[in-house]
Amino acid sequence: MTIRTRFAPSPTGYLHVGGARTALFSWLYARRHGGTFVLRIEDTDLERSTTESVNAILEGMTWLGLEYDEGPFYQTRRFDRYDEVIGELLEKGLAYRCDCSRERIERLREEAMQRREKPRYDGHCRHRQVDPDKPHVVRFRNPDEGLVVVDDMIRGRIAFDNRELDDLIIRRSDGSPTYNLTVVVDDSDMAISHVIRGDDHINNTPRQINIFRALGKEPPRFAHVPMILGEDGARLSKRHGAVSVMQYREEGFLPEALLNYLVRLGWSHGDQEIFSLEEMIQLFEIEDVNKAPSSFNTEKLLWLNQHYLKQGDPLHIAHLLSYHLGRLGIDPTSGPDLVEVVEAQRERARTLVEMAEISRFIYQDFEQIEPAAAKKHLRPAARQPLERMRAALAAQEDWSVEALHRLVEQVAEELELKMGKVAQPLRVAVVGRAASPGIDVTLHLVGQEKCLRRIDRALELIREREAAAGQ
RNA sequence: GCUCCCUUCGUCUAGUGGUCUAGGACGCUGGCCUCUCACGCCGGUAACAGGGGUUCGAACCCCCUAGGGAGUACCA
């Protein structure tokens, strides 16, 4: 059998991490088995669907690298086909027209609730001849009894009693088809073999299976993946911060990190944490997906992101960093080779945004030295080492990391001071903070001119302090 | 309310009747390394929701309870 999976979002918002993971699982399943991955846009809700959302979803998929083999198919372009199927169902008596008022339906619901029963449509119009030219909806005639058994690839066997199901609307009074009909027609027409989707669809599954059968079609296999919860264990929602996939890009995450994080959310392969795309494809089995919902944990995502920052191709990361530097108002071409910046900083940053921020000093003079760092390191005792370093650096011609390293060591030796007594004041003077890459690399990246200028500023500050103390 | 689903460290998970005094990862934490911050390395912290069965033996099988979640639309 040819494996065909699909991702079928409704374009009513951006691509969020839950949808992205579902898409990833579907994509992996297809890739794993040499199958085809189809993208279908479920836009039958004319009120809520927007082209902006379609674009946002496409953009998110592209960024993650989840390329589809067929599509995107739009359901709004298939209305004729749905009508054809509904007509067929009507003709065979497997569906019927209904003109029950919304008031009547509402009353039915309330009565059922009072009787502590599940609200269901009572089949009032099943045997009535509703005038096709008058306003009406079309309902699917659900079997009255029997069991519908779903053999879910993740949950196992789930049984539903047809008595719990009612005759659902498959065509609205405005003539548009509804979800449960369109999925079945599409999954059938597109020969989808495996439906991998969120578990909020479990309850729809028996209805859809019944429609498949009414159509004389074999239903696909189903796999319902549990949802993703927010950091606090509550349901993930727009109010829970960055849930849009594209926002993760803005916040400096790498797509490979997000993908790796997402694949491990609910799925595992022994104790392995790091998965390249190739490994995911090779090892992913839908049966290994957990049944329980899982909470999103940004801390672990950050760890993975740093892992990929550290492991990735520096040139590739440099390109991405360039964008984030730009956002800080920095012209990346106004400093050293970006690859050198990446290599110096990638063990110190968890995101590209952080990397850009801690690299700011390489390009721009700072407003003021961090007070705590200044207080601790720019004291009178630091004046002599700083002056010596200033003189040595001013005379320095070879500005390579190695040469600078020897220079700092030499000054420390001459003054009979430990490295820290020389490097720390120097660092604070040049960086404006007490943290940076190795002092040699730091000096190298900043460049001679800026280094000297900043050391002069720091020396000035020390003299001011000495004067103030002397009074 | 009704139907369906879920339940191992704070979080992600391993585990499919004995090898579990429950393993790994993130986080937190002690130490080492060290010019700072990181990285790295070594160590620590912390869980089988509760109660009944079945069995020589249960995290694993069954039942109940509790707690979460989904659906119950002319949304998808």
Side-chain angles (χ1 to χ4, degrees):
Chain A
M1 179 171 68
T2 336
I3 303 293
R4 292 173 61 85
T5 64
R6 44 66 156 190
F7 178 53
S10 66
T12 54
Y14 43 68
L15 179 66
H16 54 86
V17 290
R21 189 187 58 165
T22 305
L24 172 63
F25 284 1
S26 290
W27 180 84
L28 283 174
Y29 193 80
R31 290 288 171 273
R32 168 85 178 93
H33 298 282
T36 303
F37 178 58
V38 178
L39 180 64
R40 184 171 75 222
I41 306 294
E42 310 223 319
D43 53 355
T44 52
D45 184 346
L46 280 4
E47 300 279 307
R48 301 195 300 155
S49 301
T50 65
T51 52
E52 290 74 47
S53 295
V54 172
N55 291 336
I57 291 165
L58 259 27
E59 189 186 24
M61 304 256 312
T62 302
W63 181 63
L64 288 173
L66 301 178
E67 75 282 6
Y68 37 90
D69 306 303
E70 290 179 19
F73 298 112
Y74 293 84
Q75 294 192 318
T76 41
R77 301 231 258 270
R78 291 173 46 78
F79 275 22
D80 287 349
R81 171 63 183 145
Y82 305 132
D83 254 342
E84 183 185 350
V85 172
I86 292 166
E88 207 177 296
L89 254 17
L90 239 20
E91 206 168 301
K92 291 181 179 159
L94 295 165
Y96 60 92
R97 298 186 176 86
C98 166
D99 62 356
C100 287
S101 66
R102 294 186 198 235
E103 291 71 36
R104 198 181 101 78
I105 304 293
E106 183 55 37
R107 199 169 60 239
L108 240 37
R109 182 208 318 281
E110 276 166 21
E111 285 168 7
M113 293 286 268
Q114 296 226 323
R115 273 181 275 124
R116 314 182 112 214
E117 280 172 19
K118 187 173 177 172
R120 299 169 76 250
Y121 177 66
D122 63 356
H124 177 72
C125 294
R126 272 193 175 189
H127 305 291
R128 294 178 59 229
Q129 292 302 313
V130 173
D131 184 349
D133 296 324
K134 296 256 177 68
H136 66 274
V137 299
V138 174
R139 288 182 184 272
F140 173 69
R141 184 184 201 116
N142 198 79
D144 292 314
E145 47 192 38
L147 240 41
V148 183
V149 176
V150 183
D151 183 21
D152 193 279
M153 290 195 288
I154 295 171
R155 314 280 164 148
R157 182 182 182 277
I158 310 171
F160 296 85
D161 193 322
N162 268 323
R163 279 173 293 211
E164 295 295 334
L165 274 25
D166 65 355
D167 294 345
L168 60 287
I169 292 173
I170 54 175
R171 187 166 70 193
R172 302 183 182 95
S173 46
D174 68 357
S176 63
T178 60
Y179 167 72
N180 280 302
L181 187 273
T182 58
V183 245
V184 172
V185 174
D186 286 348
D187 285 339
S188 171
D189 285 357
M190 297 171 191
I192 301 302
S193 62
H194 298 259
V195 169
I196 298 168
R197 67 197 345 178
D199 69 1
D200 48 333
H201 287 289
I202 287 185
N203 291 289
N204 288 323
T205 309
R207 304 175 197 283
Q208 292 169 13
I209 288 177
N210 282 334
I211 296 177
F212 268 105
R213 290 189 180 143
L215 258 27
K217 304 286 186 185
E218 186 65 25
R221 293 294 312 272
F222 291 95
H224 288 98
V225 317
M227 58 190 279
I228 299 176
L229 308 176
E231 304 268 354
D232 54 2
R235 188 181 182 185
L236 201 59
S237 78
K238 293 181 174 88
R239 284 172 292 284
H240 276 80
V243 292
S244 158
V245 156
M246 293 315 283
Q247 185 158 347
Y248 286 95
R249 185 182 71 165
E250 290 306 300
E251 291 178 2
F253 288 93
L254 266 19
E256 49 269 45
L258 187 56
L259 247 17
N260 195 148
Y261 180 73
L262 253 21
V263 84
R264 279 287 288 103
L265 211 51
W267 175 80
S268 60
H269 180 74
D271 287 337
Q272 189 170 344
E273 295 287 350
I274 305 297
F275 294 89
S276 67
L277 231 40
E278 293 69 33
E279 286 176 308
M280 287 182 205
I281 291 170
Q282 197 181 347
L283 301 170
F284 185 78
E285 296 295 351
I286 195 78
E287 289 82 3
D288 292 335
V289 173
N290 268 183
K291 295 188 242 222
S294 37
S295 300
F296 197 90
N297 181 223
T298 306
E299 284 300 326
K300 188 157 183 179
L301 207 211
L302 283 164
W303 172 74
L304 274 166
N305 203 53
Q306 180 168 40
H307 171 84
Y308 283 100
L309 285 176
K310 284 185 300 187
Q311 301 294 316
D313 171 24
L315 186 60
H316 174 238
I317 292 167
H319 288 314
L320 301 176
L321 177 63
S322 172
Y323 166 76
H324 289 280
L325 285 171
R327 296 198 66 188
L328 294 181
I330 294 165
D331 174 5
T333 62
S334 68
D337 184 351
L338 264 187
V339 168
E340 286 188 283
V341 177
V342 168
E343 282 170 342
Q345 296 287 36
R346 59 172 164 184
E347 294 180 336
R348 281 165 250 272
R350 298 194 295 178
T351 68
L352 290 163
V353 169
E354 274 180 31
M355 195 183 281
E357 279 165 357
I358 63 171
S359 300
R360 184 174 220 137
F361 75 92
I362 297 170
Y363 304 87
Q364 300 173 341
D365 283 350
F366 33 89
E367 291 290 316
Q368 65 155 15
I369 295 168
E370 254 184 30
K375 191 176 176 206
K376 184 167 178 192
H377 298 289
L378 299 182
R379 45 184 56 191
R383 188 157 66 86
Q384 191 193 19
L386 263 189
E387 281 170 349
R388 290 289 284 269
M389 277 309 311
R390 206 271 177 213
L393 289 171
Q396 183 73 2
E397 282 180 19
D398 181 353
W399 206 256
S400 68
V401 173
E402 297 73 24
L404 289 165
H405 186 80
R406 283 194 298 274
L407 194 68
V408 178
E409 262 181 353
Q410 211 177 308
V411 170
E413 258 171 57
E414 282 170 18
L415 297 175
E416 293 184 343
L417 288 171
K418 286 190 187 170
M419 267 297 268
K421 294 290 178 197
V422 179
Q424 270 314 86
L426 186 55
R427 169 174 284 112
V428 171
V430 172
V431 180
R433 307 192 299 129
S436 84
I439 191 65
D440 45 5
V441 176
T442 298
L443 295 171
H444 170 78
L445 290 174
V446 172
Q448 189 168 33
E449 187 203 338
K450 283 205 267 301
C451 280
L452 296 178
R453 190 163 72 221
R454 293 177 192 178
I455 293 168
D456 286 340
R457 260 182 72 184
L459 281 168
E460 205 175 305
L461 190 76
I462 293 175
R463 283 188 210 101
E464 281 169 20
R465 282 176 76 175
E466 283 176 335
Q471 279 174 4

